[in-house]
Amino acid sequence: MKASELRSKDVAALEKEVSDLLKAHFGLRMQKATQQLSNNSQLGKTRRDIARAKTILAEKKRAAK
């Protein structure tokens, strides 16, 4: 997900996005543990997406104060 797409969302939508990404990342980790994950690069992508969403969420919260 691009940062510009995340910046257009409000705080509640960003929090939902972070929780969805965390669930997806957990699922990928479980697939890797059971050797069902064929594309290991998905783990890194979701981890970076989580970090990107959390960064923009923190920026918006800091700007609201």
Side-chain angles (χ1 to χ4, degrees):
M1 177 160 294
K2 293 186 176 187
S4 59
E5 295 172 11
L6 291 172
R7 289 188 196 284
S8 65
K9 295 184 178 185
D10 61 341
V11 174
L14 280 172
E15 288 173 345
K16 183 178 179 339
E17 184 73 29
V18 169
S19 70
D20 291 345
L21 286 168
L22 287 170
K23 287 178 187 176
H25 187 67
F26 178 77
L28 290 172
R29 286 192 350 245
M30 292 301 109
Q31 285 182 11
K32 183 180 179 191
T34 58
Q35 298 177 350
Q36 295 176 346
L37 184 63
S38 59
N39 188 2
N40 289 335
S41 67
Q42 289 177 325
L43 283 168
K45 288 178 184 175
T46 56
R47 195 169 52 238
R48 282 190 293 274
D49 284 342
I50 291 167
R52 191 175 294 122
K54 282 185 173 181
T55 300
I56 293 171
L57 180 63
E59 287 175 358
K60 286 190 178 267
K61 284 184 176 180
R62 200 175 321 121
K65 287 184 179 180

